[in-house]
Amino acid sequence: MQIIFTAHSLPQRILAAGDPYPQELAASAAAVADRLHLEGWHFAYQSAGATAEPWLGPDAEAVITELARAGHEAILLVPIGFVCDHVEILYDIDVEYRALAQRLGVQLERTGSLNDAPGLVAAVADVVRTATTERGWV
């Protein structure tokens, strides 16, 4: 099984501004892959905007297609750049990418989203509590 970590694409112009987004995503994916001792993993961007300007890549559809053409029969998509289900998960992955995978003869699954998992809620609450306390708002 091949694993593709994904995150939302952004216009490439963020690179000129020194945005750390690509490096932070790559580091997160590599850390998860290392912790789980994964070998067959990739990183791709998804949900690029429909504008003429260039967006970060590689595109997830292209990576899925490339893996299928290389003979891989199963892909696990891990949307590491998203914490909850929304259009980029429920439509782009669950509808569009699954349809692509089916046409290519590949089984495509994805990991579940955190959504309202107690650990995520507690972490967000802690960040908010800390920030508001540091600013003297509470």
Side-chain angles (χ1 to χ4, degrees):
M1 173 177 293
Q2 295 292 298
I3 297 168
I4 306 172
F5 292 97
T6 66
H8 200 292
S9 186
L10 293 177
Q12 284 185 5
R13 64 182 141 82
I14 70 159
L15 301 176
D19 193 311
Y21 182 70
Q23 293 81 10
E24 290 173 351
L25 290 168
S28 294
V32 171
D34 184 55
R35 184 165 188 179
L36 297 176
H37 308 290
L38 302 177
E39 293 183 19
W41 69 275
H42 312 268
F43 185 84
Y45 291 96
Q46 65 176 80
S47 312
T51 65
E53 69 182 309
W55 287 67
L56 297 174
D59 179 71
E61 288 184 20
V63 175
I64 292 167
T65 301
E66 177 183 311
L67 292 173
R69 289 187 177 149
H72 298 285
E73 298 176 352
I75 297 171
L76 177 64
L77 214 141
V78 181
I80 196 167
F82 305 91
V83 296
C84 64
D85 292 331
H86 48 79
V87 70
E88 283 87 359
I89 303 296
L90 300 174
Y91 185 78
D92 293 0
I93 294 174
D94 291 354
V95 175
E96 286 192 349
Y97 296 166
R98 280 208 173 120
L100 171 64
Q102 186 175 22
R103 288 192 306 274
L104 296 169
V106 174
Q107 178 184 355
L108 178 74
E109 300 293 334
R110 75 161 167 92
T111 56
S113 300
L114 294 173
N115 293 321
D116 62 349
L120 176 62
V121 173
V124 171
D126 185 55
V127 168
V128 170
R129 189 178 304 106
T130 299
T132 57
T133 301
E134 288 174 354
R135 288 169 177 79
W137 296 349
V138 292

